[in-house]
Structures are given as structure tokens and as C-alpha cells.
Amino acid sequence: MLARSTLSRGPSQLLTRAAPSSRRGLAAAAVSNPFHYSVGESAGIKVASRDDGGPTTALAVVARGGSRYETAPGLAHGLEKFAFKNSRRSALRLQRETELLGGSLGSTLSRENIVLRAKFLRDDLPYFVEALADVLIHTKYNPYEFNEQVSPTMGFEIENLHHTPAALALEAAHNIAFHKGLGSSRLALTNKYLSNKSITEYSKKVYSKDNIAVVASGAPQQDLEKWTAEFFKELPSGTGPVVAPAKYYGGETRVFSPHGDAIVIAFPGSASAPSFKAEYTVLAYLLGGETSIKWNTGMSFLSQAVSEIPHTTAVAKHVAYTDTGLLYVTIEGPGSALTQAGENVVSAFKSLGEVKPEDVKKAIALAKFDALATAEDRSVGLESVGQTVIASGNAPQVESIVKALSGVTVEAVKAAGKKLLESKATFVVVGDTYILPYAEDLGLKV
């Protein structure tokens, strides 16, 4: 196989690689829009890439099989943790070869996707496309690996979640907001439904041609399609797991934790492309909460809301899923201070109806900067590209996102803010539930 011939060059040749050849065209490549993704299909698999002619490449296989789609609790978590364990290459061999080539491999799990990732030098694209294909096609879901490696790793991540109040509150907020599907726990809270056999069956649904996208940043589309056709040709056909459209419910829950205090207040947001509504992203930046200058309070709505409350933070985020979204604020600090902080945050939401044009302009500038900065980082954003490509066959283009953000008006922001407050809120507290407030204490409708 090509990967083996690549490695046959030997360590000395790999480690003393010559300067980039003219074939790479690193300096001479005329790239009119280095952020634009081309989309195609190879061997029945959706393929997307962009190429700025740089010396490194980031590659991802995005599979529509996150916790939203699992048929029993924890299957997505277990399948993700089996990545790179044992395929045609042993885990040890894969690690040695990857290090020899100067690359790195990894996997992540989100509510909608399992993502296999690789970063490497540009010329080694064939090896890493094959390595990721092997995970999907040739992984052996051995019972001893589940018991000795996969299950303990999952347990460690669950333990870490329960020691992180803000993360635990966000998990609970999704459950209250969406119930099943997007509300399912991202991590396996129990092993009751898990075994190497159940994970094997789930892998057959998730790892199929119509259910994945191969995405690269820093690779020619023609090359990516060529190697995808070569190494993914044995992947079975299939449309992947079926799921009902997301429905927002809202509500309130309280979770006792001895590890700190946090509140999450959430409202329905915008879906990702092609139904993306930029005003919800601008709202999140308008609310803000994160300072642009270290050791400075910041001038955003939430920064000012908690500026006089010691050791307390409030940060707004907007996350877009395939068919819905969630705009949420995470408040952290001493339990005794969170009632006042929560009241101030709710007041900040209510003040959105009086937002000034200069505040909206500032929020748009921050949102545009982050969109462009994310696009510049080859390893960031591949999941969202793959997710949209799987759903619609088109890639979200950063120029379209920036254009949409630039077109957001003050009136649109006010209307979106009004819609939030008219919606049923999602309210979660984690920590000392004896002193933490209820939603009605803050004037929220749940």
C-alpha cells in the first residue's frame, strides 16, 4: 500500500526531508480565496477541501453519529473511544508511524458528530487518509479493549464532568431544553447498555458512505478525492441513524454538587447553515462576558453586569446544530453571589431592547474577527464544514458568514432579543442548591 511505501523511505529520509518542491507551490500558489471550500463526491462519499498552498494539512472524517443519534445511552461515547485502538495497524504501530511522519491523530465527540482528526505535513496526505479510513472500515471492537481501555477512559471523562459544575450545568441544560436527541447526555453516564457488541452494531449504522464527510484544510480537492476513492472504497453504503427533528421545551432543574457552583440560562437559538440567522451570533457577542484585554473587566453587557461581584463571571455563547440552536449564559462564582449575578444577567437580557447602534457594531466586529481567525486555523472548523456538507451537500463559506454578520441590523438584534425573552427559558443550577436561586427568583419564565 502507498502508506507502507511512504514509510519505506526510512527514518533518516523522513526526518531530513528536502525543501518543499515546486509541486507544492507553497510560495507561488495563486490562491484568490484561501478560505473557500470546494465540495465534491468520491466513491459515494462527500469530500470538501480548501487549499492555501501551506506546508501542513488538517484532515477530518466527520461522521453523523454523536449522542443525538445513538440508539442507546453511551454508544456514541464508546464508539469514539474505540478510534485508533486496533484496525489493520495496531495502536502501537499507528503511533510509531504517525510520530515518524511528524503528525498527530485524535478523535472528538459532540452532540451531533464523531470526528476523527489528523494533522501532518502536506506530502503525507495519502498515509493519513488511509489511517482514518482504517478506523471506519477495519476497527476490531474487542471485548478486552473495551474492558481494559475504552471503559476506564470513559469513566475518567465522566468523573471529570462531575467535578466541573459549569460543564455539568450545560449538559443538564441540553437535557431540559431538548429532552431526547440533542438532550441526550454526550457522555456515557452508565455502562448498562454498552458492550463491544452493541458498539459494533452502532458503528455499522454510523460509519457508512452517506453518513460521513471527509474534510481537509491545506489539501488539493483533486488529491483528496483521489485518496478517498482509494482507501474508503470498502466502506459500506447506508444513510446512517434516523432521528426526529429537534424540539425545544425549556424548563428548570437543580443538581447538587460539592465541587462548586454554576448557573446556565438558555434560550432557543439559530440552526447552522443553510438556515443560519446571524443575529443570534451577534447577540451572543453583544452579551459577551469575555474581556479583550487581560486583567480588564470588559465593556460587554455581561462583563458590566458582574463587574462589581467579586470572583464571578458570566459568559454568553451560541451553538448552532443542524436544525436548531441554543444561546446560553454560564454564570460561575461563589454560591452566595450567584443570585445577584443572575439578577444582573437577566437585567442585561431585558436591556437588549434598548441596545445602541455602536454596541451592535462592536459585536459584529468581534464576531467577524472570530469567524476569520477560526478560518485561518486549519485545525478548527472542520466539524462544522463536515456537518453541513452531510446535511445539505454544501459547505458553509466564511465569506458568506462574514457577509451575513455585516448585514445584521440593530432592529434584527432587538427583535431576536425580544423573541428570547418571550420564549420559555431553560434554567439549571449546579452546586449548593440550598442557596442557589430558582428561575422565578430572577424573573425568568420557565
Side-chain angles (χ1 to χ4, degrees):
M1 293 183 292
L2 185 140
R4 295 189 177 92
S5 65
T6 300
L7 288 170
S8 68
R9 289 180 285 178
S12 60
Q13 289 174 282
L14 288 169
L15 295 175
T16 58
R17 211 179 256 120
S21 65
S22 59
R23 177 171 58 84
R24 297 185 189 181
L26 303 186
V31 182
S32 59
N33 189 345
F35 297 155
H36 188 87
Y37 276 92
S38 300
V39 180
E41 191 170 292
S42 181
I45 296 170
K46 295 179 178 68
V47 177
S49 71
R50 66 175 193 180
D51 187 17
D52 60 1
T56 63
T57 299
L59 175 70
V61 173
V62 181
R64 190 173 62 100
S67 55
R68 176 180 186 175
Y69 301 100
E70 60 192 10
T71 52
L75 287 176
H77 193 194
L79 181 57
E80 184 260 330
K81 286 293 169 275
F82 257 111
F84 311 114
K85 287 291 183 291
N86 192 348
S87 58
R88 286 191 296 180
R89 298 172 176 85
S90 68
L92 178 59
R93 176 186 168 187
L94 186 60
Q95 177 176 320
R96 286 177 171 175
E97 291 179 351
T98 299
E99 290 179 353
L100 190 64
L101 293 171
S104 64
L105 294 168
S107 64
T108 55
L109 172 67
S110 68
R111 297 188 181 278
E112 295 207 280
N113 306 296
I114 294 172
V115 186
L116 309 178
R117 303 176 184 273
K119 294 189 290 184
F120 48 89
L121 296 173
R122 182 184 181 91
D123 276 359
D124 295 321
L125 177 66
Y127 174 85
F128 287 97
V129 173
E130 184 184 25
L132 298 190
D134 279 351
V135 173
L136 272 64
I137 300 169
H138 299 292
T139 292
K140 302 176 182 68
Y141 300 95
N142 296 314
Y144 69 87
E145 285 181 311
F146 175 76
N147 294 327
E148 296 175 8
Q149 298 180 25
V150 172
S151 183
T153 303
M154 294 165 65
F156 173 80
E157 292 187 349
I158 288 293
E159 185 71 13
N160 186 59
L161 172 68
H162 285 291
H163 282 76
T164 313
L168 189 59
L170 185 58
E171 281 288 314
H174 276 82
N175 180 251
I176 295 299
F178 301 112
H179 293 185
K180 295 185 178 180
L182 282 174
S184 298
S185 174
R186 190 177 59 87
L187 305 183
L189 300 179
T190 176
N191 281 355
K192 177 180 178 180
Y193 303 95
L194 295 181
S195 68
N196 62 301
K197 290 183 179 180
S198 62
I199 294 172
T200 299
E201 291 304 311
Y202 187 60
S203 73
K204 294 176 182 178
K205 295 181 180 180
V206 171
Y207 294 155
S208 58
K209 287 186 176 180
D210 290 341
N211 199 55
I212 72 164
V214 180
V215 185
S217 180
Q221 177 73 7
Q222 184 177 359
D223 290 356
L224 186 60
E225 290 183 6
K226 173 185 176 181
W227 299 120
T228 298
E230 173 69 21
F231 297 123
F232 282 83
K233 59 187 176 185
E234 296 179 32
L235 191 69
S237 298
T239 56
V242 179
V243 69
K247 179 181 177 180
Y248 179 85
Y249 295 90
E252 179 174 6
T253 193
R254 306 170 69 79
V255 181
F256 176 80
S257 172
H259 304 295
D261 302 283
I263 296 175
V264 167
I265 303 171
F267 299 93
S270 167
S272 59
S275 302
F276 171 64
K277 295 181 180 179
E279 55 266 31
Y280 284 91
T281 298
V282 174
L283 263 180
Y285 280 90
L286 182 64
L287 290 165
E290 293 178 307
T291 178
S292 299
I293 303 175
K294 192 174 183 179
W295 310 124
N296 193 291
T297 302
M299 299 301 296
S300 68
F301 282 31
L302 295 186
S303 294
Q304 292 298 302
V306 299
S307 62
E308 301 299 322
I309 306 175
H311 313 298
T312 302
T313 61
V315 178
K317 298 287 184 184
H318 178 261
V319 57
Y321 298 110
T322 300
D323 55 353
T324 189
L326 198 68
L327 192 153
Y328 64 92
V329 175
T330 303
I331 311 171
E332 296 180 86
S336 57
L338 291 193
T339 296
Q340 182 62 59
E343 290 175 352
N344 292 359
V345 167
V346 173
S347 296
F349 270 102
K350 292 178 179 178
S351 68
L352 291 173
E354 304 171 359
V355 64
K356 299 177 182 178
E358 56 265 32
D359 292 325
V360 174
K361 183 179 179 180
K362 178 179 64 177
I364 290 173
L366 289 169
K368 287 165 63 175
F369 174 83
D370 276 359
L372 291 167
T374 297
E376 286 184 315
D377 188 338
R378 290 195 184 93
S379 61
V380 177
L382 299 182
E383 179 183 356
S384 62
V385 172
Q387 176 177 303
T388 305
V389 167
I390 294 170
S392 67
N394 298 307
Q397 305 294 354
V398 68
E399 59 266 29
S400 299
I401 295 172
V402 170
K403 182 178 179 180
L405 290 169
S406 299
V408 173
T409 64
V410 175
E411 290 72 24
V413 171
K414 288 183 177 180
K418 181 181 178 182
K419 187 175 181 180
L420 289 184
L421 290 175
E422 292 174 348
S423 302
K424 188 177 181 181
T426 293
F427 185 78
V428 177
V429 299
V430 173
D432 186 349
T433 52
Y434 178 72
I435 62 173
L436 291 173
Y438 287 84
E440 67 176 13
D441 297 334
L442 306 184
L444 289 171
K445 180 179 69 176
V446 293

Coordinates of all heavy atoms in Angstrom, one line a residue, residues 50-85:
R50 N -10.1 22.9 1.2 CA -9.6 24.2 0.8 C -8.1 24.1 0.8 O -7.5 23.3 1.5 CB -10.1 25.3 1.7 CG -9.5 25.1 3.1 CD -9.9 26.3 4.0 NE -9.1 26.3 5.2 CZ -9.2 27.2 6.2 NH1 -10.1 28.2 6.1 NH2 -8.4 27.1 7.2
D51 N -7.5 24.9 0.0 CA -6.0 24.8 -0.1 C -5.4 26.1 -0.3 O -5.6 26.9 -1.3 CB -5.6 23.9 -1.4 CG -4.1 23.6 -1.4 OD1 -3.5 23.8 -0.4 OD2 -3.7 23.2 -2.5
D52 N -4.6 26.5 0.7 CA -3.9 27.8 0.6 C -2.4 27.6 0.3 O -1.6 28.5 0.3 CB -4.0 28.5 1.9 CG -3.4 27.8 3.1 OD1 -2.9 26.6 2.9 OD2 -3.5 28.3 4.3
G53 N -2.0 26.3 -0.1 CA -0.7 26.0 -0.5 C 0.3 26.0 0.6 O 1.5 26.0 0.4
G54 N -0.2 25.9 1.9 CA 0.7 25.9 3.0 C 1.4 24.5 3.2 O 1.1 23.6 2.5
P55 N 2.4 24.4 4.1 CA 3.2 23.2 4.2 C 2.5 22.1 5.1 O 3.0 21.0 5.1 CB 4.4 23.7 4.9 CG 4.0 24.9 5.7 CD 2.9 25.5 4.9
T56 N 1.4 22.4 5.8 CA 0.8 21.5 6.7 C -0.7 21.3 6.3 O -1.3 22.2 5.6 CB 0.8 21.9 8.1 OG1 0.1 23.1 8.3 CG2 2.3 22.0 8.6
T57 N -1.3 20.2 6.7 CA -2.7 19.8 6.4 C -3.4 19.4 7.6 O -2.8 18.7 8.5 CB -2.7 18.7 5.3 OG1 -2.0 19.2 4.1 CG2 -4.1 18.3 5.0
A58 N -4.6 19.8 7.7 CA -5.5 19.2 8.8 C -6.6 18.5 8.1 O -7.2 18.9 7.1 CB -6.1 20.4 9.6
L59 N -6.9 17.3 8.5 CA -7.8 16.3 7.9 C -8.8 15.9 8.9 O -8.4 15.6 10.1 CB -7.1 15.2 7.3 CG -7.9 14.0 6.7 CD1 -8.5 14.5 5.4 CD2 -7.0 12.8 6.4
A60 N -10.1 15.7 8.5 CA -11.1 15.2 9.5 C -12.1 14.3 8.7 O -12.4 14.6 7.6 CB -11.8 16.3 10.1
V61 N -12.5 13.2 9.4 CA -13.6 12.5 8.9 C -14.7 12.8 9.9 O -14.6 12.5 11.1 CB -13.3 11.0 8.9 CG1 -14.6 10.2 8.6 CG2 -12.3 10.7 7.8
V62 N -15.8 13.4 9.4 CA -16.9 13.8 10.3 C -18.0 12.7 10.0 O -18.5 12.6 8.9 CB -17.4 15.2 9.9 CG1 -18.6 15.5 10.8 CG2 -16.3 16.2 10.1
A63 N -18.4 12.0 11.1 CA -19.5 11.0 11.0 C -20.7 11.5 11.8 O -20.6 11.8 13.0 CB -19.0 9.7 11.5
R64 N -21.9 11.4 11.2 CA -23.1 11.9 11.9 C -23.5 10.8 12.8 O -24.4 9.9 12.5 CB -24.2 12.1 10.8 CG -25.4 12.8 11.3 CD -26.3 13.1 10.1 NE -26.7 11.9 9.4 CZ -27.9 11.3 9.6 NH1 -28.8 11.8 10.5 NH2 -28.2 10.2 8.9
G65 N -22.9 10.8 14.0 CA -23.2 9.7 15.0 C -22.9 10.1 16.4 O -22.6 9.3 17.3
G66 N -23.1 11.4 16.7 CA -22.9 11.9 18.1 C -24.0 11.4 19.0 O -24.9 10.6 18.5
S67 N -24.1 11.9 20.2 CA -25.0 11.4 21.2 C -26.5 11.6 20.7 O -27.4 10.9 21.2 CB -24.8 12.1 22.5 OG -24.8 13.5 22.4
R68 N -26.7 12.6 19.9 CA -28.1 12.9 19.4 C -28.6 11.6 18.7 O -29.9 11.4 18.7 CB -28.1 14.1 18.5 CG -29.4 14.3 17.8 CD -29.4 15.5 16.9 NE -30.8 15.8 16.5 CZ -31.1 16.9 15.7 NH1 -30.1 17.8 15.4 NH2 -32.3 17.1 15.3
Y69 N -27.8 10.9 18.0 CA -28.2 9.8 17.1 C -28.1 8.4 17.7 O -28.6 7.5 17.1 CB -27.4 9.9 15.8 CG -27.5 11.2 15.1 CD1 -26.5 12.1 15.2 CD2 -28.7 11.5 14.3 CE1 -26.6 13.3 14.5 CE2 -28.8 12.7 13.7 CZ -27.8 13.6 13.8 OH -27.9 14.8 13.1
E70 N -27.6 8.3 18.9 CA -27.4 6.9 19.4 C -28.7 6.3 19.8 O -29.7 6.9 20.2 CB -26.5 7.0 20.7 CG -27.0 7.8 21.8 CD -25.9 8.1 22.9 OE1 -24.8 7.8 22.7 OE2 -26.3 8.6 24.0
T71 N -28.7 4.9 19.6 CA -29.9 4.2 19.8 C -30.0 3.6 21.3 O -31.0 3.1 21.7 CB -30.0 3.0 18.9 OG1 -28.7 2.3 19.0 CG2 -30.1 3.4 17.4
A72 N -28.9 3.8 22.1 CA -28.9 3.5 23.5 C -27.9 4.4 24.1 O -26.9 4.8 23.5 CB -28.6 2.0 23.7
P73 N -28.1 4.8 25.4 CA -27.2 5.7 26.1 C -25.7 5.3 26.1 O -25.4 4.1 26.4 CB -27.7 5.8 27.5 CG -29.1 5.4 27.4 CD -29.2 4.4 26.3
G74 N -24.8 6.2 25.7 CA -23.4 5.9 25.7 C -22.8 5.3 24.5 O -21.5 5.2 24.4
L75 N -23.5 4.9 23.5 CA -23.0 4.3 22.3 C -22.0 5.2 21.6 O -20.9 4.7 21.1 CB -24.1 3.8 21.4 CG -24.9 2.5 21.9 CD1 -26.0 2.2 20.9 CD2 -23.9 1.3 22.0
A76 N -22.4 6.4 21.4 CA -21.5 7.4 20.7 C -20.2 7.6 21.4 O -19.1 7.6 20.8 CB -22.2 8.7 20.5
H77 N -20.3 7.7 22.8 CA -19.1 7.9 23.6 C -18.2 6.7 23.4 O -16.9 6.8 23.2 CB -19.5 8.1 25.0 CG -18.4 8.6 25.9 ND1 -18.5 8.5 27.3 CD2 -17.1 9.1 25.6 CE1 -17.4 9.0 27.8 NE2 -16.5 9.4 26.8
G78 N -18.7 5.5 23.5 CA -18.0 4.2 23.4 C -17.3 4.1 22.0 O -16.2 3.7 21.9
L79 N -18.1 4.4 20.9 CA -17.6 4.3 19.6 C -16.4 5.3 19.4 O -15.4 4.9 18.8 CB -18.7 4.6 18.6 CG -18.3 4.4 17.1 CD1 -17.7 3.1 16.8 CD2 -19.5 4.7 16.2
E80 N -16.5 6.5 19.9 CA -15.5 7.5 19.7 C -14.2 7.0 20.4 O -13.1 7.2 19.9 CB -15.9 8.8 20.2 CG -15.0 10.0 20.1 CD -14.2 10.3 21.3 OE1 -14.7 10.1 22.4 OE2 -13.0 10.7 21.2
K81 N -14.3 6.4 21.6 CA -13.2 6.0 22.3 C -12.5 4.7 21.7 O -11.4 4.4 22.1 CB -13.5 5.7 23.8 CG -13.8 7.0 24.6 CD -12.5 7.8 24.7 CE -12.7 9.2 25.2 NZ -13.0 10.1 24.2
F82 N -13.2 4.0 20.8 CA -12.5 2.9 20.1 C -11.6 3.4 19.0 O -10.9 2.5 18.4 CB -13.6 1.9 19.6 CG -13.7 0.7 20.4 CD1 -14.9 0.5 21.2 CD2 -12.7 -0.3 20.4 CE1 -15.0 -0.7 21.9 CE2 -12.9 -1.4 21.2 CZ -14.0 -1.6 22.0
A83 N -11.7 4.6 18.6 CA -10.9 5.1 17.5 C -9.4 4.9 17.7 O -8.9 5.2 18.8 CB -11.1 6.6 17.3
F84 N -8.7 4.4 16.7 CA -7.3 4.2 16.7 C -6.8 3.1 17.7 O -5.6 3.0 18.0 CB -6.5 5.5 17.0 CG -7.0 6.6 16.2 CD1 -7.6 7.7 16.8 CD2 -6.8 6.7 14.8 CE1 -8.0 8.8 16.1 CE2 -7.2 7.8 14.1 CZ -7.8 8.8 14.7
K85 N -7.7 2.2 18.1 CA -7.3 1.2 19.1 C -6.7 0.0 18.3 O -5.7 -0.5 18.7 CB -8.5 0.7 19.9 CG -9.0 1.7 21.0 CD -7.9 1.8 22.1 CE -8.4 2.8 23.2 NZ -8.4 4.2 22.8

